[in-house]
């Protein structure tokens, strides 16, 4: 017998004689163990309890705090008017409502440490979060996990929701470890916040994606009256250059600059060294030198698959993450959700998404499937994401937003529709800005039109992208929608995601988005 056949037999026998029931009331058995005390685990927990209200659930996380929202850490938390709110980890949401980043729902969650865990004779019910503990091993045939203390726990169903690990750049090593931080957790927030609080600090943020751009704006705003300077360094032509079409990325940079950030686009750090006076000198590839008190590196994350890899789960070599099916199942009784999950999206194909709502919605589906062997629910509901970059930019989006795709943009102020072809991206996406207004009548033609001549475009124009819609196209289908300063349209966007893009029907297609209503 091959090892595979042996394991297959083992699994079949397990299915026949339900392992879950046999050890139901044993010490160190939990019907549901959720690994990673983040957003996805929180959502899964709530979904399990909805189906199985007295379920005993153990969430295990290696941070000192239970599940919380990360989004405010690079936005709202820096806009607090008083330090007391910040201490309490509170923030004001966009409606002015005071909230806390710690996730709270209907369920009562008991936070425990390893000592308390050891004292549990038999977990009959209740939701517990074990903090400060790392799960070191997962044994999918034994249905057990091993904690960093060596303690072994058995599970009925397990969720892997271990999130992502921020990447860093070797070139920053010269600066010294204490001068460079990644930014993911509350702990990272507290560290950077207390550093920026002291007057006159020079902060360099490396990275022009979601995190680098949000943080640059937020820290600059917070540090305005403290003499703080923020410089952002990244290789793309503008902020969010991997996500927005080129013209919009450039416009975004102009807005980030208005918030006081010094943006070094098309730039890479070539070397770093201490200045000898407690600061760091960065040399860019073009020879320019910057001095910093601290460097924040925001160059993306790596899906955290350490545990899954050891357990022999299938990994996605292209996108990173653990491969799961549309039901978010990696193996029998093993589920994944959130940032570390490469799943089959029934509409858009295999994907891995690194956003909050995906962790919530995916976590929910995983939890529902975990709590019911008969459900077999596919993760079909399209997640959204959103961001704010200063007072003039707020957006929501669904689907795949990749600046390499062809895009069609429709704007309110000076109504324009233009197509950008991926191959002709350089010229095309700048002209998508269509500084020359296009009349309502010619709009439909313009949707298929070849790009305007490059000289017709001046990105520096004070034209404002007040409200608009960008469609991302792949194989003639709409695979992504960006709703720019246009809130509450996510449901409409979900409806047309995956549809064939037809120039003839563009007017009807975009009608629900109310672009031309003002
Ligand atoms: P996480 O929330 O990262 O949770 C995983 C947890 O598992 C972590 O606490 C980790 O320490 C723990 N863990 C890992 N391995 C182990 C182990 N072996 N044992 C025990 N514990 C382990 N998305 C948006 O859509 N909009 C936003 O505005 C937005 N803003 C963001 C701002 C910041 C600063 C950051 C960092 C992210 C932001 N995101 C945003 C992304 C969003 O927060 C993530 O997509 C989301 O947190 C993913 O949830 P998750 O549960 O998969 O992972
Ligand atoms: P990202 O993937 O959005 O951006 C990566 C960026 O790294 C690129 O835009 C590029 O500018 C930069 N980069 C890569 N190599 C570089 C180099 N050699 N030098 C300089 N820059 C380089 O990742 P992120 O911005 O670090 O965000 C971290 C995570 O947090 C992501 O999962 C992101 O989705 C999430 N997040 C999401 C939001 C949101 O949805 N609003 C907000 C903040 C963070
Ligand atoms: P909430 O916490 O009740 O969340 C509502 C939904 O948004 C949920 O599905 C949640 O999973 C998701 N969500 C929350 N924060 C998110 C984030 N940062 N990224 C991605 N998804 C997120 O509501 P909230 O936090 O008070 O507000 C979030 C919503 O409000 C978003 O849809 C946002 O775009 C919107 N908003 C509207 C305006 C406006 O002017 N109308 C301004 C800012 C934000």
């Amino acid at each position: 017998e091959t090892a595979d056949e042996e394991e297959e037999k083992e699994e079949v026998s397990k299915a026949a004689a339900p392992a879950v029931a046999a050890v139901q009331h044993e010490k160190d058995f939990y019907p549901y163990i959720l690994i990673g005390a983040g957003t996805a685990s929180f959502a899964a927990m709530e979904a399990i309890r909805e189906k199985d209200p007295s379920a005993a659930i153990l969430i295990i996380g290696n941070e000192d705090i239970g599940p919380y929202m990360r989004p405010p850490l690079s936005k709202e938390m820096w806009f607090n008017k008083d330090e007391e709110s910040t201490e309490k980890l509170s923030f004001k949401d966009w409606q002015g409502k005071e909230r806390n980043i710690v996730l709270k729902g209907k369920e009562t969650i008991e936070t425990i440490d390893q000592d308390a865990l050891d004292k549990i004779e038999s977990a009959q019910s209740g939701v517990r979060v074990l903090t400060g503990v790392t799960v070191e091993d997962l044994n999918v045939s034994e249905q057990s996990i091993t904690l960093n203390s060596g303690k072994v726990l058995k599970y009925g169903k397990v969720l892997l929701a271990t999130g992502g690990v921020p990447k860093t750049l070797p070139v920053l090593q010269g600066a010294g470890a204490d001068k460079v931080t990644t930014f993911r957790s509350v702990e990272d927030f507290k560290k950077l916040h207390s550093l920026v609080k002291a007057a006159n600090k020079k902060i360099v943020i490396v990275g022009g994606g979601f995190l680098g751009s949000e943080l640059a704006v937020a820290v600059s705003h917070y540090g305005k009256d403290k003499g703080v300077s923020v410089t952002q360094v990244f290789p793309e032509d503008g902020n969010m250059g991997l996500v927005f079409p080129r013209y919009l990325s450039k416009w975004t940079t102009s807005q980030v600059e208005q918030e006081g950030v010094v943006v070094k686009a098309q730039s890479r750090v070539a070397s770093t060294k201490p200045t000898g006076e407690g600061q760091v000198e960065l040399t860019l590839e073009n020879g320019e030198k910057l001095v910093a008190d601290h460097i924040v590196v925001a160059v993306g994350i790596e899906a955290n698959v350490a545990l899954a890899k050891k357990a022999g789960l299938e990994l996605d070599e292209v996108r990173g993450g653990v491969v799961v099916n549309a039901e978010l199942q990696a193996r029998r009784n093993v589920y994944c959700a959130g940032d570390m999950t490469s799943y089959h999206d029934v509409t858009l194909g295999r994907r891995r998404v690194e956003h909050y709502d995906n962790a919530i919605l995916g976590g929910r589906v995983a939890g529902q499937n975990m709590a019911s062997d008969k459900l077999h629910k596919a993760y079909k509901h399209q997640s959204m994401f959103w961001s704010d970059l200063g007072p003039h930019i707020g957006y929501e989006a669904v689907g795949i937003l990749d600046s390499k795709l062809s895009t069609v943009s429709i704007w309110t102020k000076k109504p324009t529709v233009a197509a950008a072809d991926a191959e002709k991206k350089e010229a095309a996406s700048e002209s998508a800005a269509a500084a020359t207004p296009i009349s309502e009548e010619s709009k439909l033609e313009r949707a298929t039109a070849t790009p305007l001549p490059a000289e017709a475009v001046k990105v520096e124009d004070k034209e404002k992208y007040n409200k608009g819609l960008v469609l991302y196209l792949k194989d003639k289908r709409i695979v992504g929608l960006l709703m720019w300063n246009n809130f509450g349209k996510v449901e409409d966007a979900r409806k047309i995601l995956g549809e064939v893009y037809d120039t003839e029907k563009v007017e009807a297609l975009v009608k629900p988005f109310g672009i031309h209503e003002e």
Side-chain angles (χ1 to χ4, degrees):
E1 257 177 350
T2 65
D4 276 352
E5 281 165 348
E6 225 172 73
E7 192 165 320
E8 221 167 79
K9 260 193 181 169
E10 203 179 289
E11 300 227 331
V12 168
S13 74
K14 276 212 177 91
V20 179
V23 286
Q24 200 85 59
H25 300 301
E26 273 178 25
K27 191 167 163 53
D28 297 335
F29 171 81
Y30 291 82
Y32 304 99
I33 291 182
L34 317 181
I35 304 173
T39 314
S41 282
F42 182 84
M45 175 277 289
E46 288 201 313
I48 293 168
R49 295 279 290 193
E50 273 169 29
K51 290 214 173 283
D52 188 354
S54 63
I57 303 175
L58 180 64
I59 305 175
I60 306 172
N62 55 13
E63 292 186 57
D64 294 335
I65 158 177
Y68 61 90
M69 301 174 226
R70 299 186 195 279
L73 299 180
S74 53
K75 298 185 267 302
E76 292 92 333
M77 290 291 289
W78 296 91
F79 292 80
N80 277 342
K81 295 246 161 31
D82 58 297
E83 295 298 328
E84 208 187 315
S85 305
T86 306
E87 292 281 311
K88 287 190 299 189
L89 300 177
S90 295
F91 66 94
K92 279 218 168 66
D93 72 10
W94 61 279
Q95 290 168 304
K97 204 173 112 199
E98 176 101 0
R99 295 170 65 176
N100 196 279
I101 67 165
V102 174
L103 286 166
K104 279 200 182 66
K106 280 202 288 255
E107 305 296 335
T108 307
I109 305 177
E110 187 191 354
T111 303
I112 59 170
D113 58 13
Q114 173 113 23
D115 282 349
L117 179 82
D118 289 341
K119 294 198 183 91
I120 297 170
E121 278 308 319
S122 159
Q124 305 280 353
S125 71
V127 180
R128 297 177 179 85
V129 176
L130 176 63
T131 54
V133 170
T134 302
V135 178
E136 294 284 355
D137 276 301
L138 162 69
N139 185 325
V140 295
S141 48
E142 293 290 327
Q143 300 204 184
S144 69
I145 58 165
T146 308
L147 308 183
N148 55 348
S149 59
K151 191 181 180 74
V152 175
L153 301 176
K154 293 207 129 213
Y155 63 80
K157 306 269 161 123
V158 70
L159 177 76
L160 294 186
T162 49
V165 182
K167 293 195 263 194
T168 184
L169 298 171
V171 70
L172 300 177
Q173 272 168 14
D178 60 329
K179 294 290 175 194
V180 185
T181 39
T182 53
F183 193 92
R184 177 98 185 154
S185 63
V186 163
E187 208 184 314
D188 299 332
F189 167 78
K190 285 182 176 165
K191 188 173 169 184
L192 186 62
H193 191 266
S194 65
L195 205 131
V196 174
K197 219 157 82 176
N200 302 325
K201 294 292 177 195
K202 292 185 165 59
I203 307 294
V204 170
I205 296 176
V206 180
F210 287 98
L211 181 58
S213 302
E214 286 184 0
L215 213 49
V217 167
V219 172
S220 179
H221 174 90
Y222 176 77
K224 243 176 210 149
D225 54 1
K226 299 176 184 64
V228 172
S229 77
V230 179
T231 306
Q232 199 188 354
V233 180
F234 53 80
E236 294 86 24
D237 293 345
N239 291 72
M240 301 296 295
L242 301 178
V243 179
F244 299 161
R246 188 150 175 260
Y247 75 93
L248 196 54
S249 162
K250 288 198 162 187
W251 160 253
T252 302
T253 293
S254 72
Q255 295 303 295
V256 170
E257 284 170 338
Q258 283 206 356
E259 291 308 292
V261 180
V262 176
V263 179
K264 304 280 176 196
Q266 298 179 325
S267 300
R268 284 173 197 270
V269 181
S271 67
T272 48
K273 63 173 192 199
T275 59
E277 280 142 46
Q279 291 180 312
V280 181
E281 185 186 87
L282 299 93
T283 307
L284 305 185
E285 279 181 355
N286 66 2
E288 192 179 345
K289 292 189 192 313
L290 305 172
V291 170
D293 290 289
H294 202 80
I295 302 171
V296 182
V297 50
V299 295
I301 62 166
E302 207 113 41
N304 185 353
V305 295
L307 189 61
K309 194 173 178 182
K310 277 204 268 178
L313 298 182
E314 184 184 355
L315 304 182
D316 185 329
E317 301 297 340
V318 179
R319 299 161 195 85
V322 175
V323 176
V324 296
N325 61 19
E327 294 165 30
L328 305 184
Q329 194 177 38
R331 289 279 299 262
R332 188 184 192 84
N333 298 331
V334 181
Y335 294 79
C336 298
D339 283 6
M340 50 84 67
T341 308
S342 163
Y343 65 99
H344 174 64
D345 179 324
V346 177
T347 311
L348 300 173
R350 187 153 288 280
R351 294 171 77 191
R352 190 170 67 77
V353 179
E354 296 174 0
H355 295 288
Y356 182 87
D357 195 39
N358 170 65
I360 296 275
L361 298 177
R364 271 194 73 74
V365 170
Q368 288 165 345
N369 284 333
M370 288 167 81
S372 161
D373 279 334
K374 296 204 179 84
L375 193 65
H376 311 301
K377 185 172 173 175
Y379 176 32
K380 276 188 182 165
H381 197 54
Q382 287 292 337
S383 64
M384 57 80 80
F385 62 89
W386 67 278
S387 176
D388 295 318
L389 287 173
H392 305 299
I393 299 179
Y395 61 85
E396 296 185 326
V398 291
I400 301 167
L401 269 65
D402 180 342
S403 59
K404 288 199 287 293
L405 295 172
S406 303
T407 56
V408 175
S409 310
I410 301 108
W411 294 99
T412 292
K413 248 289 154 70
K414 296 176 178 177
T416 58
V417 181
D421 181 280
E423 276 78 30
K424 293 181 233 145
K425 196 163 66 69
E426 284 297 296
S429 52
E430 280 205 39
S431 67
T436 316
I438 295 162
S439 71
E440 288 286 313
E441 296 75 40
S442 64
K443 242 180 11 226
L444 288 183
E445 289 160 37
R446 195 52 83 179
T448 46
T450 42
L452 293 170
E455 60 271 22
V457 182
K458 263 223 208 108
V459 178
E460 299 78 25
D461 275 1
K462 287 279 164 270
E463 180 189 356
K464 280 196 176 62
Y465 294 102
N466 273 351
K467 181 176 168 185
L469 174 71
V470 181
L471 306 176
Y472 290 72
L473 309 180
K474 193 178 181 182
D475 302 330
K476 300 207 172 76
R477 287 195 315 153
I478 300 166
V479 295
L481 294 100
L482 170 62
M483 281 77 71
W484 193 262
N485 294 327
N486 195 0
F487 292 96
K489 304 290 181 190
V490 170
E491 264 323 308
D492 297 300
R494 284 178 176 131
K495 277 184 203 140
I496 61 171
L497 200 67
E499 272 194 21
V500 172
Y501 175 75
D502 182 346
T503 324
E504 300 296 305
K505 295 190 185 137
V506 67
E507 189 99 35
L509 202 69
V510 302
K511 196 160 192 291
F513 297 89
I515 308 292
H516 302 304
E517 272 159 22
E518 281 165 18

